[in-house]
Amino acid sequence: MTDIKEIKLVDVKNNSNIINNLNSIYKLWGYEEVSPSFINTLETIKGRGVIDENQVVGIVSNNSLCLRPEMTTSIVKLSSTRLINKKRPIRLFTNGMVFDKKQNKNSIKLQEKLQSGIELIGYDTKCPEIEVINILFDAIDNINLKDGCNLFLLVSTTKIMELILNKYKNNYFEEIKKSLVDFDQDNLSKLEIDEDDKYILKDLLFTRGEPIAILKKLKTIYGTSKTLDDLNFLFDTLSKISNRYGVKLQLDPTFQPHLNLYEGIVFQLIGDNGKNKSVIAKGGRYDELVRFFSPNEKIFNGIGFTISVDILRNFIREENTDKKKILLMFKDAYLLEKGLNEQKVQQKRGNIAILYLNPCDDLAKANQIMKENNCSEILWVK
């Protein structure tokens, strides 16, 4: 089964406006546009085990090719080939369709999704997250969002999970990790581990909120560590940025991405309208992916985000255009050339001008044509 949806004209228009607005912000931050191929080799897309082969849409004519399920892997590979001699850091942005496959016992569901995002590769700093998340907030702030969207950024890091699981490396490691990620209290209860440990792990399932407060709680459990100290610095900086944009920060120690793409900081920008919560954007660090494609790089770091344009579209206001939409008409055929000239005059004034190419001297028919073309007035060419 393929989830094919005919996109309404108004949605096409809104998609275009969103992409244009996002691109304008990316460019102001010094990012350059790239366009990775729709078609990739399975070897490229799977990368270092980033994506399960069963999740990608293969091409029937060639089993070694597939449609891209995400764009980061292709862009990181691009940075190691055609952009290998470009001075680091590399700042890139892209827009386009990705293709998703969900398979169960009875059916296969294919989806195409419109995404926009950036990648920052090879930045020589401890916290490149500061720039990338700042751009995400700035880009969304440039969109005319409805009131009551209540944006919050859910953040975690794979390093916190490593800290939590460190003592279980030889004892139920995978089971505990899966239970934490899947919010599975029942499975935690069944594990044959110390009851005090069970209590701590179950409590962590409900431990999320203001980052600095959560980090203090983690320090009381696991003691001081470089991981927690680094995160304290990061969130102290990000909190000032998020306050400026009116976005709440939330740290969730057990949140982990389903794709094996990210290592380090992972995040999701979520919109909550009071009825539903929707993931508008997601991203994180992928240092090991950079290392995989570019083993000779001096700086092994990469971070980025993707915005779901299809989801973001549901959060924007309907924009009213101030432009006039004029229908140009003439009664005699010899006035066609004059009509074409008048159309150009109106367009240069910033008006939308549609020229009806057939002579018409019936006022009732002219008004009907005006309504059919959603024009606000008729300008008769004389």
Side-chain angles (χ1 to χ4, degrees):
M1 173 184 178
T2 303
D3 187 16
I4 298 175
K5 297 179 180 178
E6 297 296 336
I7 302 177
K8 301 175 183 176
L9 285 177
V10 66
D11 290 339
V12 173
K13 181 190 76 172
N14 288 335
N15 284 352
S16 179
N17 289 338
I18 289 171
I19 292 293
N20 289 337
N21 287 335
L22 294 175
N23 289 352
S24 68
I25 295 299
Y26 302 154
K27 291 174 183 177
L28 289 176
W29 284 81
Y31 283 68
E32 299 176 272
E33 186 170 12
V34 290
S35 182
S37 173
F38 279 86
I39 300 174
N40 292 105
T41 65
L42 278 172
E43 183 182 0
T44 296
I45 289 297
K46 289 191 294 182
R48 34 175 296 280
V50 165
I51 296 174
D52 190 318
E53 185 172 340
N54 292 324
Q55 293 177 290
V56 300
V57 181
I59 296 177
V60 175
S61 62
N62 191 327
N63 291 331
S64 67
L65 300 178
C66 65
L67 298 175
R68 62 189 184 200
E70 51 84 36
M71 290 188 277
T72 298
T73 304
S74 299
I75 293 173
V76 174
K77 184 180 180 182
L78 177 68
S79 73
S80 69
T81 53
R82 283 189 287 155
L83 301 179
I84 189 65
N85 294 319
K86 188 173 178 62
K87 184 174 174 58
R88 271 48 176 167
I90 300 177
R91 292 179 169 89
L92 305 172
F93 75 88
T94 189
N95 310 286
M97 289 292 182
V98 296
F99 304 87
D100 181 42
K101 181 172 76 173
K102 294 181 180 178
Q103 185 172 355
N104 56 38
K105 292 181 179 179
N106 301 317
S107 66
I108 297 176
K109 186 176 182 180
L110 307 180
Q111 288 182 310
E112 56 178 351
K113 303 173 182 177
L114 180 58
Q115 292 187 345
S116 174
I118 69 168
E119 310 296 345
L120 175 61
I121 300 171
Y123 199 145
D124 187 13
T125 183
K126 183 171 71 173
C127 296
E129 296 88 353
I130 292 172
E131 175 172 319
V132 170
I133 292 175
N134 202 350
I135 295 172
L136 175 59
F137 291 165
D138 194 19
I140 297 299
D141 191 58
N142 195 49
I143 303 294
N144 191 16
L145 296 179
K146 298 175 183 176
D147 293 331
C149 287
N150 299 317
L151 300 178
F152 66 94
L153 190 76
L154 178 67
V155 188
S156 188
T157 172
T158 56
K159 291 184 179 180
I160 287 184
M161 187 64 78
E162 291 170 6
L163 189 67
I164 294 170
L165 297 173
N166 185 55
K167 68 182 294 184
Y168 306 106
K169 286 183 177 179
N170 299 313
N171 188 23
Y172 296 108
F173 180 91
E174 290 299 334
E175 292 92 332
I176 293 172
K177 181 178 180 179
K178 188 174 188 306
S179 297
L180 292 174
V181 173
D182 294 344
F183 202 80
D184 191 342
Q185 297 182 74
D186 291 337
N187 197 53
L188 283 175
S189 299
K190 296 173 184 176
L191 298 178
E192 296 179 2
I193 58 176
D194 184 83
E195 289 300 319
D196 290 338
D197 286 351
K198 282 186 186 179
Y199 176 82
I200 290 172
L201 293 172
K202 287 181 181 180
D203 183 54
L204 286 174
L205 291 177
F206 299 93
T207 299
R208 60 178 61 88
E210 196 279 321
I212 301 301
I214 299 301
L215 289 173
K216 285 181 180 178
K217 179 174 180 176
L218 292 173
K219 284 182 180 180
T220 62
I221 299 173
Y222 300 104
T224 57
S225 70
K226 186 176 184 303
T227 293
L228 298 180
D229 288 342
D230 288 346
L231 287 172
N232 204 90
F233 169 79
L234 175 63
F235 285 117
D236 186 54
T237 305
L238 287 181
S239 63
K240 297 179 178 67
I241 299 171
S242 65
N243 288 338
R244 189 188 315 144
Y245 288 101
V247 179
K248 293 181 181 178
L249 289 181
Q250 186 176 82
L251 175 59
D252 182 351
T254 63
F255 164 66
Q256 298 288 289
H258 289 290
L259 290 180
N260 187 31
L261 176 64
Y262 301 114
E263 291 188 31
I265 289 292
V266 289
F267 55 86
Q268 291 184 343
L269 182 67
I270 298 170
D272 183 359
N273 62 8
K275 296 179 181 178
N276 299 300
K277 293 180 181 179
S278 302
V279 178
I280 295 172
K282 59 181 66 173
R285 285 187 69 152
Y286 45 81
D287 298 0
E288 288 303 314
L289 192 63
V290 175
R291 189 187 301 272
F292 177 81
F293 283 112
S294 304
N296 296 320
E297 283 277 8
K298 293 181 180 179
I299 303 169
F300 293 107
N301 71 38
I303 182 170
F305 64 74
T306 56
I307 294 172
S308 172
V309 176
D310 301 306
I311 292 176
L312 180 57
R313 190 178 65 237
N314 297 324
F315 285 86
I316 66 171
R317 296 177 188 271
E318 288 295 329
E319 294 189 9
N320 294 319
T321 177
D322 294 329
K323 291 183 178 181
K324 287 183 180 181
K325 191 172 183 181
I326 301 170
L327 178 65
L328 299 173
M329 303 195 76
F330 51 88
K331 295 181 179 180
D332 297 302
Y334 74 88
L335 292 170
L336 173 59
E337 185 177 351
K338 192 172 181 180
L340 291 169
N341 293 334
E342 182 63 30
Q343 185 178 36
K344 278 298 177 187
V345 169
Q346 293 298 327
Q347 289 170 346
K348 286 181 179 179
R349 291 176 181 173
N351 297 324
I352 299 170
I354 297 175
L355 176 63
Y356 189 67
L357 296 175
N358 297 320
C360 177
D361 58 5
D362 184 333
L363 293 181
K365 182 180 179 182
N367 284 320
Q368 180 183 347
I369 295 169
M370 180 185 71
K371 291 178 182 178
E372 289 172 351
N373 285 274
N374 295 316
C375 294
S376 57
E377 62 182 89
I378 298 174
L379 177 60
W380 289 96
V381 179
K382 299 177 181 179

